[in-house]
Amino acid sequence: MSATVIDGKAVAAALRATVAARAAELAFQPGLAVVLVGDDPASAVYVRSKDRAASASGIAARTIRLPAATSQAELLGVVRQLNDDPAIDGILVQMPLPPQIDTAVVIDAIDPAKDVDGLHPVNAGLLASGRSGLVPCTPSGAMKLLAHAGVPLSGARAIVLGRSVLVGRPMAALLTAADATVTLAHSRTRDLPGECRRADIVVAAVGRARMVGGEWLKPGAVVIDVGINRLPDGRLVGDADYESCAAVAGAITPVPGGVGPMTIACLLENTVLAAVRRRR
Ligand code: NDP
């Protein structure tokens, strides 16, 4: 069997076009503020691409760069200013933050109505209780890829590998809300290959290069590979071993070009959604 490749780039381009059209219909320009603390090169690349994508979709993007030595109190001050700024609809604080800053305290300080990353406990709580808040971008993008590929979710057995607040937990909540039967696996899960082999849908969000091999899959299973791992030779690979998984799976997302492009498109979608809701 040779898996259908789920083209995240194409789905993300279509979503960005939809978001741009929605933004153009508004009587105001939605505003997104991205806060970058320090000079982590990977974070700088992400922030630049978010800025560019937002501007291309008609969103006013503002990047606030702060030195690596910024104190927690200073960062909280910036977040509060953005909370009070009527031109700003979405606030994203780029992770990871330097060690002197408590990430949870910063997330808690963001106005939940502007929390376009969907990480504030209010938004996490709304998601956990099956209500509508702002949903974290990466799992939201993964769900859109499943929908695009026409994967039936109701009654399907799904396994999510990884239980982070950013990806694994919200992904499990979204799949549950879509009536899948969900196993949330993590580093203490016993017999991970056996658990995976029972699943119709495998979402890998662990951060371990090529951990999921084709022999872990039920024939025809759908693989959503969230992982982004850099090999010593510089290549980017996912958490799934693409070649062996594609030989067994019914459909698979590539890395790069799968879930990654969806994350930014969903950030833009959340920004427009937050803008409309705030002004309602
Ligand atoms: P975290 O490090 O926060 O979480 C990793 C999770 O994987 C933890 O729950 C951990 O378990 C679990 N885990 C670690 N080792 C194993 C193992 N051997 N077997 C089973 N589970 C294991 O990572 P994130 O959720 O932030 O990110 C996961 C991956 O997704 C990374 O590669 C990251 O780069 C990528 N990513 C991609 C994005 C995109 O846009 N495509 C966006 C965000 C992340 P435990 O809880 O027990 O420690």
Side-chain angles (χ1 to χ4, degrees):
M1 187 184 292
S2 184
T4 301
V5 180
I6 303 173
D7 183 352
K9 265 196 212 163
V11 181
L15 177 57
R16 278 157 58 163
T18 305
V19 170
R22 219 178 289 158
E25 283 168 6
L26 299 174
F28 56 89
Q29 191 181 25
L32 171 67
V34 180
V35 184
L36 174 63
V37 185
D39 36 37
D40 176 58
S43 294
V45 171
Y46 289 140
V47 166
R48 257 199 309 278
S49 42
K50 284 168 187 171
D51 190 298
R52 241 183 273 131
S55 303
S57 294
I59 293 169
R62 192 192 299 171
T63 300
I64 297 149
R65 292 187 172 77
L66 301 172
T70 300
S71 70
Q72 180 158 305
E74 284 165 334
L75 179 56
L76 289 175
V78 169
V79 169
R80 287 191 193 110
Q81 266 175 18
L82 294 170
N83 284 344
D84 294 340
D85 187 335
I88 295 297
D89 298 292
I91 302 170
L92 183 150
V93 179
Q94 183 65 43
M95 310 294 169
L97 291 168
Q100 73 275 14
I101 295 173
D102 184 335
T103 302
V105 173
V106 175
I107 290 171
D108 289 358
I110 298 172
D111 178 350
K114 296 188 177 187
D115 168 40
V116 283
D117 240 354
L119 297 179
H120 191 284
V122 166
N123 285 314
L126 287 170
L127 178 58
S129 49
R131 290 157 64 193
S132 152
L134 288 165
V135 176
C137 306
T138 300
S140 173
M143 291 298 288
K144 288 185 202 301
L145 291 180
L146 286 167
H148 171 81
V151 178
L153 300 181
S154 181
R157 279 177 200 258
I159 186 165
V160 179
L161 312 181
R163 57 177 163 181
S164 72
V165 172
L166 189 64
V167 188
R169 279 170 210 246
M171 187 72 214
L174 288 168
L175 286 165
T176 304
D179 297 326
T181 302
V182 183
T183 301
L184 183 53
H186 45 77
S187 65
R188 309 294 169 88
T189 299
R190 261 182 269 140
D191 186 21
L192 205 51
E195 294 289 346
C196 279
R197 269 192 293 271
R198 275 188 284 279
D200 304 304
I201 299 161
V202 176
V203 180
V206 166
R208 291 173 75 97
R210 297 169 168 163
M211 184 180 85
V212 178
E215 71 285 3
W216 288 27
L217 300 178
K218 173 161 100 175
V222 175
V223 178
I224 302 292
D225 192 353
V226 179
I228 302 176
N229 309 288
R230 198 169 282 284
L231 296 179
D233 65 10
R235 272 181 303 154
L236 284 184
V237 296
D239 289 348
D241 178 50
Y242 188 81
E243 300 301 327
S244 67
C245 284
V248 181
I252 187 166
T253 61
V255 177
V259 177
M262 293 302 292
T263 298
I264 292 188
C266 290
L267 170 69
L268 306 179
E269 184 185 47
N270 272 353
T271 304
V272 172
L273 182 66
V276 171
R277 283 189 183 160
R278 280 185 59 241
R279 285 169 170 83
R280 214 179 264 154

